[in-house]
Amino acid sequence: MKAGTATLYVVATPIGNLSDVTLRALEVLRAVDVIAAEDTRMTARLLDRHGIAGKMVAVHEHNERASAERITGMLAEGKSVALVSDAGTPAISDPGACVVAAVRAAGYPVVPVPGPSAVVAALSASGFENSRFLFCGFLPARGAERRGMLTDLVAQPAMLVFYEAPHRVVECVADLCAILGGEREIVIARELTKIHETIHRCRLAEAVAWLEADDNHRRGEFVLVVAGAAQVHASDEVDYDGTLKILLEELPLKQAVALAVKLTGGSRNVLYQRALALKGDA
Ligand code: SAM
């Protein structure tokens, strides 16, 4: 193949297993003038394996904007550039997004070369049948911010997908359980496509214990897939609303919700969301 001049190719690379690279990705990596890599050591392993030499530059050594300017400069010289990240599809929760935005803004063609991505790999093996998912990337590192974001997601019917680092996975899963409720199911997908690949599905109430049962369960790279919120039928909402309206006239929101849970047997999270909506209506 001949690479287009002044074109940025966004090339997906393996997330672990070096055989997970597409034929087209290899063709593009061979054909371009420059391979712009997030970490040249990581990408060198892939290029060596497939006998592709030279033409690699590190572009994320300073900051995202500097990288973007550097690549735009190469395109201005008429070069073809392949953008690769450490693993998976560039621009999905990694600095590639800034580069692609800058290149598009500068008016150069951007060509995707699709392939592995940890989010899709985890979803494909999760066994959840929901056809919708919401990819949330990394949750905030600070607990209060993280819990705030999760609270916004409580009523979301789509599956929730998160990336997480090993040193934060226990606290993150504990917050998922506290905010979304212990009954929901989670798939903990770690080290996908690698030797120690583990895909564990359980209720959120059991997830922290599973992580703590074995040091190895907390090692490596993680994708967390959480089942979406159970759908509430319209008729249920009407019942909840009637009960909540009466209670909210007499009690603060939290107490009203707690009592409504006891009276209706409904989910605390669903009732909480309905109570917030009713307060907004008032
Ligand atoms: N762009 C990448 C993609 O398409 O998946 C993701 C980049 S992001 C900086 C890195 C995160 O992806 C890791 O912290 C982890 O959450 C997830 N990840 C990457 N490789 C993985 C793997 N082999 N198994 C599980 N999660 C992985």
Side-chain angles (χ1 to χ4, degrees):
M1 105 172 233
K2 194 175 173 326
T5 49
T7 299
L8 180 73
Y9 294 88
V10 185
V11 181
T13 57
I15 57 169
N17 187 323
L18 291 183
S19 296
D20 288 336
V21 63
T22 68
L23 296 174
R24 182 165 169 240
L26 293 176
E27 279 174 15
V28 169
L29 292 173
R30 282 201 182 91
V32 289
D33 298 315
V34 179
I35 298 172
E38 188 178 354
D39 178 340
T40 50
R41 282 164 307 175
M42 291 286 291
T43 304
R45 287 176 51 226
L46 177 71
L47 299 185
D48 288 350
R49 163 84 172 259
H50 296 283
I52 301 169
K55 66 185 175 183
M56 189 161 51
V57 297
V59 285
H60 297 141
E61 74 276 38
H62 301 303
N63 61 50
E64 292 172 25
R65 191 168 299 171
S67 307
E69 279 173 16
R70 203 161 157 211
I71 290 178
T72 314
M74 293 175 199
L75 296 169
E77 291 167 14
K79 289 181 175 153
S80 54
V81 180
L83 177 69
V84 298
S85 54
D86 282 357
T89 302
I92 306 301
S93 284
D94 66 33
C98 175
V99 172
V100 174
V103 168
R104 287 186 67 84
Y108 295 104
V110 176
V111 177
V113 182
S117 186
V119 52
V120 175
L123 280 167
S124 72
S126 72
F128 290 134
E129 289 190 69
N130 193 338
S131 57
R132 288 182 287 172
F133 70 89
L134 180 65
F135 176 57
C136 308
F138 290 96
L139 281 164
R142 288 160 51 105
E145 257 179 82
R146 183 169 59 230
R147 287 188 286 278
M149 189 170 285
L150 289 175
T151 304
D152 292 341
L153 295 170
V154 163
Q156 174 55 248
M159 293 178 281
L160 305 173
V161 190
F162 306 97
Y163 282 168
E164 196 45 277
H167 61 278
R168 259 199 298 271
V169 70
V170 172
E171 53 183 292
C172 172
V173 169
D175 281 346
L176 288 171
C177 180
I179 308 293
L180 304 180
E183 286 309 308
R184 278 210 215 181
E185 288 202 289
I186 181 170
V187 167
I188 301 174
R190 65 174 277 272
E191 294 293 87
L192 291 167
T193 78
K194 304 184 200 176
I195 295 169
H196 298 295
E197 176 179 88
T198 313
I199 300 170
H200 180 74
R201 180 166 164 171
C202 63
R203 292 186 312 130
L204 273 171
E206 295 147 3
V208 167
W210 181 81
L211 287 166
E212 288 181 336
D214 183 337
D215 288 350
N216 289 323
H217 291 175
R218 301 188 297 280
R219 294 204 172 109
E221 300 194 276
F222 289 85
V223 183
L224 307 172
V225 185
V226 182
Q231 291 287 280
V232 176
H233 299 296
S235 58
D236 295 341
E237 278 191 23
V238 173
D239 287 350
Y240 290 166
D241 285 4
T243 308
L244 279 168
K245 269 182 193 155
I246 295 166
L247 294 170
L248 284 168
E249 280 171 17
E250 307 292 334
L251 297 168
L253 188 132
K254 270 192 175 170
Q255 275 174 269
V257 169
L259 208 50
V261 170
K262 285 188 187 156
L263 288 169
T264 64
S267 142
R268 201 194 82 86
N269 291 329
V270 170
L271 280 155
Y272 186 71
Q273 292 301 320
R274 288 307 309 153
L276 285 178
L278 290 170
K279 277 288 221 192
D281 289 343

